[in-house]
Structure formats: C-alpha cells, structure tokens
Amino acid sequence: MITGGARRASAAISFPPTTFAILNPDTGAVIGQSKYSVEGNAEGGILHGESSFYDGQSDVETGRLIGVSGDGMPKLVEFDHTFYDANRTIVERSHVDLKSGASVCTHTSSGKTTDTEEVLQFPEDTWAGASVVIPMQHYLRAGEKELPGLHVFNCAPGPKIFAISLQTDPGPAIFTPYGKEALRVEVRPDFGWINIIISPFVPKLHAWFDPAKEWAFVGDEAARYYQGTKIMLVKTHPIAIVPQLRSTR
C-alpha cells in the first residue's frame, strides 16, 4: 500500500504519458516520435522515455527519482540514456549513479567501443537528460520570476558535471511547431566570468512550457547527444502535429 506521503511524492513528480514528434529544427520535417512519462511509486518515481526515428535509429532513457524535499522537489538518483543505430548497436550510452558517484560514458566508432569511467561528487541539484525539465516546471509552477541555476550531468564526451543557468523569455509567445502559446526557457552552461568569451561557441538548449496547461512541458531543442544531430521535440496534438505524422507514411 502506498502511504499518503508517497502519494504526495508521486503526484508532485507526475508526468503523464506524453507523445512528442521529433523534428529536424532546420527544416521542420518530422523524423520520428518520442514517448515520455513519469510513473510514481512508493519511493518517488521512474522517468521513462523511448524515441524511434524513421531511419531506424532509437534510444531509451530512464531516470530514477526519490522522495520530495520540503520545497516539493524530487531528486534524481540514477540515470541511463542509451542510443542505438538502425542495427540496434549501441553508439552512445550515459549511465550514472548519483549516490555513489559512479558514472560511465560509452562511445562506439568504427566498430570500436570505448568506456570512460569516473567517480564524481554530485551537487544535490544535479539532473541529467529529460529530468532537467522537472525543476524548471517546478519553479514555473511556484511563480519564480528568475529561475535558479542547476547542475547537469552529461557525457562531453567523458563524464562531466556542468553548472547551468536558466533564463526565460519576457513572456509566452506562439511556439509555431506546437501551434499555441508557450514560454521558452533557455539553458546554457555557466562558466562564470569567461562566459562572455566562450558563450558564442556553446550549444544552447531550449525548452517550452504551456502556461495554459499548468506549465506542461511541450517541447525542446537540443543535440541528441554530445556533438550529435540537433533535434526538436514537440508535444503532439490534433491540429499542429498529427497530420504531419500521418503524411509521412
């Protein structure tokens, strides 16, 4: 039986099963589909995502979340994101246990697989992959005017922890692929005073949230993985995306 406290924890990190179209951000063409959800449990929840591309590539992402702190924020304790080519061969993999600090980044090139392992000290506010939208959504729902910075884990190409800053647009605007208003949040690594020098060369990540649907996450734009193909995820709905998906069959 799940206790009242566990039910509150599960509700706080609830992310119902959501389907996203995967777009080429330069052309707007639909190139695949993703499904993400967070399933609550007695400990906290499991974030699960699966992406499939029309060229046969795919990837699977899993994040284990525990508890809810005093401010209602869960914590990421384990993360795995595995990327496959059309032959179901692993081309990239990120795995981290944030409790022990053990992390590994796997890369396959020309038939050779390389694992890079590190034991890292993770700050309490460290996230990875799609789980980073959880604190963003939490802050937006709390009415924060300026979103606090966070830390994220990434393989770049080896295990790395990055401090990131979050900046919102002045207000919601039409997110054209989604077909409705959404607020854009820009995510950028924070390198302190040298930002002014290197920021033009650092890839950006953008995420969009719908204020009319309790700040539901409705899309993002980022590289698939370090130095990988740029993609855009857009929450599907009958007017904007589904007709495009059908027309590609």
Side-chain angles (χ1 to χ4, degrees):
M1 177 181 294
I2 298 178
T3 65
R7 279 195 295 270
R8 287 192 295 273
S10 298
I13 57 176
S14 174
F15 189 107
T18 306
T19 301
F20 298 86
I22 306 174
L23 277 61
N24 178 322
D26 296 324
T27 66
V30 179
I31 58 175
Q33 181 175 275
S34 287
K35 293 183 179 179
Y36 274 88
S37 66
V38 174
E39 182 178 349
N41 57 34
E43 291 185 337
I46 300 294
L47 180 150
H48 183 74
E50 294 187 11
S51 299
S52 57
F53 294 79
Y54 297 152
D55 64 2
Q57 296 185 77
S58 61
D59 58 81
V60 177
E61 178 175 357
T62 303
R64 185 161 66 90
L65 305 157
I66 63 167
V68 174
S69 61
D71 64 358
M73 184 80 77
K75 181 180 178 181
L76 181 71
V77 293
E78 189 174 3
F79 169 79
D80 187 281
H81 201 161
T82 305
F83 302 85
Y84 302 91
D85 64 15
N87 296 317
R88 200 61 182 173
T89 299
I90 295 175
V91 292
E92 300 281 343
R93 183 186 180 219
S94 306
H95 183 87
V96 59
D97 181 333
L98 285 86
K99 287 185 174 181
S100 68
S103 55
V104 59
C105 296
T106 300
H107 173 72
T108 300
S109 179
S110 302
K112 182 180 180 180
T113 298
T114 303
D115 289 333
T116 304
E117 300 181 19
E118 296 283 351
V119 176
L120 304 173
Q121 295 291 324
F122 289 100
E124 289 293 314
D125 62 350
T126 301
W127 302 85
S131 73
V132 74
V133 307
I134 293 174
M136 291 185 209
Q137 187 180 61
H138 175 85
Y139 294 136
L140 291 171
R141 286 177 173 173
E144 297 280 358
K145 301 301 182 183
E146 294 186 6
L147 306 191
L150 304 167
H151 291 86
V152 295
F153 168 82
N154 199 10
C155 290
K160 297 285 191 305
I161 301 171
F162 293 96
I164 63 170
S165 61
L166 306 175
Q167 182 173 347
T168 63
D169 284 351
I174 294 295
F175 177 26
T176 302
Y178 179 58
K180 298 180 181 180
E181 281 197 343
L183 183 70
R184 185 180 70 166
V185 178
E186 181 177 309
V187 181
R188 301 195 77 168
D190 187 350
F191 296 104
W193 66 270
I194 63 171
N195 272 352
I196 193 170
I197 300 173
I198 66 174
S199 61
F201 308 101
V202 177
K204 300 177 183 178
L205 183 155
H206 293 118
W208 285 264
F209 299 84
D210 188 340
K213 296 187 179 297
E214 298 183 338
W215 299 108
F217 170 65
V218 296
D220 70 14
E221 180 179 358
R224 190 174 169 216
Y225 47 78
Y226 178 68
Q227 295 186 336
T229 304
K230 291 182 180 179
I231 60 172
M232 175 180 282
L233 298 189
V234 182
K235 181 180 178 181
T236 60
H237 58 82
I239 296 175
I241 300 299
V242 172
Q244 291 180 287
L245 286 170
R246 289 174 177 167
S247 68
T248 59
R249 294 179 180 176

